Amino acid sequence: MEFRFSIGSSFKTPNSPVLVSSSPNKTNFKLISKNQRFSFRIVSAVSYKEFAESALEETRKRVVLETSPLQERYSSMTGLDGKTELQMLAFKSSKIRLLRSMAIENETMQVFDFAGFMEPEYDTPIFCANFFTSANTNIVVLDLNPLHQLTDKTDYQEKYYNNIMSIYHKYAEIFPWGGKLTGESIKFFSPLVMWTRFSSSQEKHTALFSAFLEFYQAWLEMTIQVTEEMEPSQVRANREAQHKYLTWRAQKDPGHGLLRKLLGETKAKELLRDFLFNGVNELSTKTFIDYFPEYQTEDGNVNDKRSIIGKSFETRPWDSTGRFIG
Ligand code: BLA
């Protein structure tokens, strides 16, 4: 199957941004003993920065983007190891509260976290691309995370997902379900979600680029079509739903361990709460325990456990029409 991206005309070909390197400077030959045995390790060189650039280029064709005030404080950082680069981008528009990207790169690892959050007057889903690439594996979540609860009977599912399920079908074969995941995550995911793990290959990274832009284009279209909510109670519900999402991710996202290792506890926390999940301090005064009381410890603190439920959902819990089957 070929995954050339077809919506819009001026996407770069997937070949340019996603090179799993075969060039000598990106390939490590490592001598491991004196008797001429050596190991051969190909460092995958996916450039997620170019994923971000392509999405932003598409956005600018349709929407007036302004630089977010966050950009002044967050542009680039170097990890404590002196070798890992973090690059941050942040924009807003009249409807999009925050469109932000973080790309992390060193010789052996590339991470991409790209998200879009609407102003509370709009109930559009949250754009979510989280890709973690190391020498051995890729961990991928790509989704339009629902702002409101989904079942096949809700208007929200009908409004945003039913008519774009073909996007899921297009990638279902090349990116099969990634297996058990933190049980709590599933309610933040939609039936469109691409949750997968794979070993790097040119074919997979080309398809990932194509999927990323296709999901993004679907999201962008929703943000353009959506009309402003006038009912104050509905605006409040949108704001609180976004805040609950931000609160969960600012506290329990699986990337935390790595960010702490790269930046130290204080800087990692600041990056999470002020940049990546910006809004967690502003959209509501509710706390993590207000939303997730099962995490309260006897002394009133938040349980450190990543998950109370544990890992679940060995197989994809939606059928092909997007109906939740658990
Ligand atoms: C693993 N990342 C995972 C997993 C998921 C996600 C589902 C599998 C393990 C698990 O279920 O916890 C991603 N989970 C999500 C997302 C949501 C969610 C996007 O609930 C949204 C609601 N990943 C990143 C970033 C880093 C990262 C920025 O997105 C690093 C800075 C790393 N993710 C990372 C690592 C793992 C992982 C290292 C494997 C470690 C582990 O399984 O805990």
Side-chain angles (χ1 to χ4, degrees):
M1 210 188 297
E2 209 184 340
F3 291 99
R4 284 201 182 270
F5 193 76
S6 57
I7 302 176
S9 55
S10 64
F11 285 111
K12 294 174 204 148
T13 65
N15 291 348
S16 61
V18 280
L19 267 183
V20 175
S21 177
S22 55
S23 66
N25 59 341
K26 297 272 172 62
T27 307
N28 279 358
F29 290 91
K30 200 166 101 201
L31 222 51
I32 56 165
S33 79
K34 288 183 182 144
N35 63 3
Q36 301 296 300
R37 276 185 33 226
F38 58 85
S39 75
F40 176 63
R41 186 163 58 101
I42 295 178
V43 177
S44 116
V46 190
S47 174
Y48 289 132
K49 284 183 195 164
E50 293 178 61
F51 279 44
E53 287 305 331
S54 298
L56 291 170
E57 204 178 301
E58 269 320 287
T59 315
R60 288 194 189 94
K61 285 185 201 158
R62 314 279 311 274
V63 173
V64 179
L65 277 187
E66 292 167 52
T67 304
S68 158
L70 288 174
Q71 187 76 81
E72 268 178 37
R73 274 175 288 135
Y74 300 92
S75 58
S76 66
M77 289 166 136
T78 305
L80 295 171
D81 60 2
K83 294 181 193 157
T84 307
E85 294 300 326
L86 294 85
Q87 188 208 57
M88 278 74 73
L89 298 170
F91 298 90
K92 63 193 288 302
S93 76
S94 57
K95 291 181 179 176
I96 302 170
R97 186 178 66 80
L98 175 63
L99 184 65
R100 56 83 178 149
S101 169
M102 176 179 72
I104 306 179
E105 282 183 17
N106 61 29
E107 276 185 345
T108 55
M109 173 189 82
Q110 294 85 37
V111 176
F112 186 47
D113 183 336
F114 192 100
F117 304 98
M118 301 303 281
E119 292 289 351
E121 287 75 18
Y122 306 95
D123 71 352
T124 316
I126 294 161
F127 183 79
C128 166
N130 282 78
F131 307 159
F132 172 84
T133 299
S134 67
N136 306 321
T137 190
N138 290 266
I139 299 175
V140 163
V141 173
L142 177 60
D143 193 22
L144 312 189
N145 292 152
L147 195 64
H148 296 296
Q149 213 204 335
L150 287 182
T151 72
D152 51 335
K153 291 184 193 66
T154 58
D155 295 347
Y156 196 77
Q157 180 145 347
E158 170 67 32
K159 181 173 176 187
Y160 285 118
Y161 297 97
N162 288 357
N163 60 346
I164 55 166
M165 283 304 290
S166 60
I167 303 178
Y168 155 71
H169 290 290
K170 186 165 169 189
Y171 297 98
E173 197 178 326
I174 187 161
F175 293 124
W177 187 250
K180 282 190 175 178
L181 78 170
T182 301
E184 285 88 342
S185 294
I186 213 75
K187 60 180 180 303
F188 296 111
F189 291 174
S190 82
L192 200 66
V193 69
M194 218 174 90
W195 149 237
T196 192
R197 298 171 185 265
F198 57 88
S199 307
S200 291
S201 73
Q202 177 74 63
E203 188 205 9
K204 292 280 172 108
H205 285 294
T206 302
L208 183 62
F209 177 71
S210 169
F212 168 69
L213 282 181
E214 201 157 343
F215 275 66
Y216 186 73
Q217 191 77 31
W219 180 76
L220 190 60
E221 193 57 44
M222 288 173 183
T223 71
I224 292 165
Q225 299 297 331
V226 68
T227 53
E228 186 175 347
E229 179 61 61
M230 292 299 176
E231 187 60 53
S233 65
Q234 202 49 50
V235 175
R236 266 200 306 279
N238 291 344
R239 186 183 290 112
E240 179 156 319
Q242 190 177 141
H243 187 251
K244 181 177 182 181
Y245 177 94
L246 295 166
T247 303
W248 172 261
R249 295 203 60 189
Q251 188 84 31
K252 296 291 177 191
D253 210 53
H256 286 191
L258 188 66
L259 289 177
R260 268 198 294 271
K261 210 168 113 190
L262 282 174
L263 302 172
E265 180 78 39
T266 311
K267 280 208 167 149
K269 196 169 170 197
E270 189 191 313
L271 183 70
L272 282 158
R273 298 190 68 88
D274 194 30
F275 181 78
L276 291 175
F277 303 112
N278 175 281
V280 70
N281 297 328
E282 294 84 13
L283 293 186
S284 164
T285 54
K286 282 200 173 179
T287 66
F288 185 85
I289 294 297
D290 292 332
Y291 295 122
F292 308 99
E294 65 279 19
Y295 279 83
Q296 185 155 27
T297 57
E298 277 181 5
D299 54 8
N301 291 325
V302 176
N303 195 325
D304 278 343
K305 267 187 166 177
R306 272 271 332 278
S307 165
I308 295 282
I309 301 178
K311 300 257 173 166
S312 34
F313 304 106
E314 181 92 53
T315 55
R316 193 180 170 82
W318 294 274
D319 72 10
S320 63
T321 66
R323 193 168 61 93
F324 192 74
I325 47 175

